[in-house]
Amino acid sequence: MKCPERYRVIQQNIRQPILDDDRIVKGEYHVLIENQAFCECYQEQCAAWDKEKNRCRKIGG
């Protein structure tokens, strides 16, 4: 079950220099990969799980 109150963003930066024939850096390749998704809800282990009402509750602001 996905938790509607817990959202996760993971970013990966990958950089690699661009070299000319003399092995001098002339620039770089840059790739940004971003994954966004709702977290899994583990009920009793989840910070948003309300044990009394047996459902996810709103956390934060």
Side-chain angles (χ1 to χ4, degrees):
M1 176 171 83
K2 297 291 183 184
C3 182
E5 300 299 331
R6 296 181 63 213
Y7 196 69
R8 173 180 61 199
V9 177
I10 299 173
Q11 291 184 338
Q12 297 173 329
N13 271 315
I14 301 171
R15 296 176 184 254
Q16 183 176 8
I18 299 172
L19 305 174
D20 65 3
D21 294 336
D22 297 325
R23 308 285 296 164
I24 298 173
V25 176
K26 296 293 183 178
E28 71 176 359
Y29 295 109
H30 181 205
V31 177
L32 172 66
I33 301 170
E34 182 174 286
N35 295 323
Q36 299 182 9
F38 289 102
C39 296
E40 289 292 327
C41 185
Y42 295 103
Q43 296 183 359
E44 289 83 16
Q45 298 171 1
C46 179
W49 186 253
D50 189 344
K51 292 178 184 175
E52 294 175 5
K53 296 180 181 176
N54 207 26
R55 64 181 179 91
C56 277
R57 60 181 161 83
K58 186 168 186 164
I59 57 174

